[in-house]
Amino acid sequence: MSLILLLLCIVLLIPIMRTSGICAGIFKAPVLCFLWLTKHTVDSAQLSAPEVVTGTYNGSVTISCQYSLQFKEYTKYWCKGQVYELCTIIVKTPKVRQNDRSSIVDDKEAGVFTVTMTLLQKTDEDMYWCVIARHGRNIFSRVRLLVSDTVTTPLTTTQINSFLILEQEQTSWWAALRWILFILMLCCLASTHIIVWWTKAEKKIPFFIKTQT
């Protein structure tokens, strides 16, 4: 429903910006914003990863990100951050790369790239993202990494659900912020239309008076 309303707003803005003489560059703004708002949509059939992974302090953890073979030649990377758009890249293909404690290996035949993190610290506990870089929009899947001080057992369904609820609460503000920014941009465009119309109207009034005299 929100997608339909967004498209409707853009369509309604077309005659407004044409009549007000606003340049085509400004018209591109809502289109670009629309792409920005919708690019986070992920097709789970193209990329999948475990939702929650648990490792031990000073231990290691391995995360497998499964992808469709149509993306085997694309660059893959592993990044860290609560919000995907602001995440920091940790390791990246195309070659087997590693930093001090993290490495990534891409098995193109199996359609899976694997990330290994060693010497885990409490500061490593965060949201991470398996990402396939491509033109247009990237494909990504989030993974919550937990670091425990003791040997861990597999998480129960209840524990996983609680973590997922927490993740949704932490990231929902970013989704709301995108829509707020878009609405503000629409308001700015409408205000610009009113100002341009008012300016043109003021210029026409003296000319009309002069022709009458």
Side-chain angles (χ1 to χ4, degrees):
M1 184 64 181
S2 59
L3 181 60
I4 295 175
L5 291 175
L6 182 58
L7 289 172
L8 182 60
C9 289
I10 294 175
V11 171
L12 291 175
L13 278 173
I14 294 176
I16 292 177
M17 287 181 287
R18 283 180 177 175
T19 56
S20 60
I22 300 176
C23 64
I26 298 179
F27 170 66
K28 292 178 182 178
V31 177
L32 293 175
C33 188
F34 169 74
L35 294 175
W36 179 51
L37 288 167
T38 58
K39 73 175 183 177
H40 69 284
T41 303
V42 180
D43 188 348
S44 59
Q46 296 177 331
L47 178 64
S48 61
E51 296 176 330
V52 180
V53 175
T54 304
T56 57
Y57 181 78
N58 276 333
S60 62
V61 66
T62 299
I63 302 95
S64 297
C65 306
Q66 190 81 33
Y67 61 86
S68 173
L69 289 178
Q70 63 179 310
F71 301 113
K72 66 180 182 179
E73 299 300 332
Y74 287 68
T75 298
K76 292 90 178 178
Y77 61 87
W78 175 253
C79 66
K80 175 182 179 181
Q82 289 293 325
V83 179
Y84 164 71
E85 288 83 355
L86 304 177
C87 71
T88 302
I89 297 178
I90 305 300
V91 283
K92 182 178 181 181
T93 63
K95 297 180 179 179
V96 178
R97 297 185 179 182
Q98 67 180 61
N99 57 21
D100 294 337
R101 298 187 295 111
S102 301
S103 63
I104 184 170
V105 179
D106 185 12
D107 186 344
K108 297 181 180 180
E109 299 301 321
V112 59
F113 65 95
T114 304
V115 177
T116 301
M117 299 179 65
T118 61
L119 297 176
L120 293 174
Q121 306 297 311
K122 269 297 183 181
T123 54
D124 293 324
E125 189 171 272
D126 206 335
M127 186 78 75
Y128 291 82
W129 305 84
C130 297
V131 185
I132 298 176
R134 67 171 186 173
H135 296 294
R137 66 178 177 85
N138 294 340
I139 302 174
F140 52 89
S141 181
R142 67 184 181 183
V143 180
R144 164 69 71 175
L145 174 62
L146 304 176
V147 179
S148 174
D149 294 328
T150 59
V151 178
T152 58
T153 57
L155 293 175
T156 64
T157 302
T158 302
Q159 289 174 315
I160 292 177
N161 289 338
S162 65
F163 284 123
L164 293 179
I165 292 173
L166 179 61
E167 292 168 10
Q168 292 175 354
E169 292 176 349
Q170 291 175 337
T171 57
S172 60
W173 68 269
W174 179 247
L177 179 61
R178 285 197 292 258
W179 286 105
I180 292 172
L181 291 175
F182 182 75
I183 293 172
L184 288 176
M185 185 181 66
L186 292 180
C187 293
C188 290
L189 289 174
S191 300
T192 303
H193 164 65
I194 295 173
I195 293 172
V196 172
W197 175 84
W198 182 260
T199 302
K200 287 184 177 181
E202 287 184 334
K203 290 181 179 179
K204 289 180 179 180
I205 291 174
F207 177 78
F208 176 76
I209 296 174
K210 184 176 180 180
T211 55
Q212 290 293 326
T213 58

